[in-house]
Amino acid sequence: DTGVSQDPRHKITKRGQNVTFRCDPISEHNRLYWYRQTLGQGPEFLTYFQNEAQLEKSRLLSDRFSAERPKGSFSTLEIQRTEQGDSAMYLCASSLVVDGYTFGSGTRLTVV
Amino acid sequence: GQQLNQSPQSMFIQEGEDVSMNCTSSSIFNTWLWYKQDPGEGPVLLIALYKAGELTSNGRLTAQFGITRKDSFLNISASIPSDVGIYFCAGMMNYGGSQGNLIFGKGTKLSVKP
């Protein structure tokens, strides 16, 4: 068990570019969550998958954001036409049941 | 987005001191969680609470799930330098359409007294 893995750890992109982040959950975990954390704030829920089904999306997830978990294992989060306000830490977490789950180390996005 | 009211926002500790922080909400939660986050890392789960009134310990950490289900507190006894970091409370929504989403507080930053 290597924990929840996120890639890349850091990403700097120019405004207007598209970016994609990857999350590899703990292997037997069927639930996968994405959160966003800005400086000085707690993480905020973005979306949730159970296996490959995306079951819930936050209002924070604008139409420029899309998340997938095609085979119920790893997940990707894509942001299209990035804006400076998208600069944040993007955290992925996974769990086996509805319980206190394990977070990855996050991807820090800076939009310049 | 919705966040919980967590206090204090920051505090300075001297090694050996006990530390208390708390979290309140206008909503009822079925589960309360406490996480610690170090710079550049994701939050790490410290304690999970599942029942109103529950008091749970994890080493020098003790947390309680408030009887109204709208609050929780975390105590750290005999603090040590590695306790420095940001502590977050989180309430879990696991009813209706929300299965396992966490609502976080803004964090309590623990620093060492100069």
Side-chain angles (χ1 to χ4, degrees), chain B residues 5-25:
Chain B
N5 299 312
Q6 189 171 347
S7 65
Q9 276 191 317
S10 63
M11 56 195 310
F12 288 89
I13 58 170
Q14 213 145 41
E15 191 171 349
E17 283 181 342
D18 295 346
V19 170
S20 286
M21 59 192 78
N22 66 67
C23 207
T24 60
S25 168

Side-chain angles (χ1 to χ4, degrees), chain B residues 17-83:
Chain B
E17 283 181 342
D18 295 346
V19 170
S20 286
M21 59 192 78
N22 66 67
C23 207
T24 60
S25 168
S26 55
S27 305
I28 289 173
F29 291 108
N30 294 333
T31 302
W32 280 91
L33 305 159
W34 285 91
Y35 285 87
K36 179 176 183 248
Q37 187 174 29
D38 292 325
E41 297 296 325
V44 173
L45 181 66
L46 299 174
I47 292 182
L49 302 156
Y50 302 105
K51 204 167 145 185
E54 179 182 354
L55 187 73
T56 297
S57 293
N58 178 8
R60 293 178 297 104
L61 276 58
T62 302
Q64 184 156 29
F65 190 146
I67 200 77
T68 64
R69 292 162 64 195
K70 291 184 177 181
D71 62 321
S72 178
F73 73 74
L74 175 71
N75 285 344
I76 306 172
S77 63
S79 56
I80 59 178
S82 62
D83 290 334

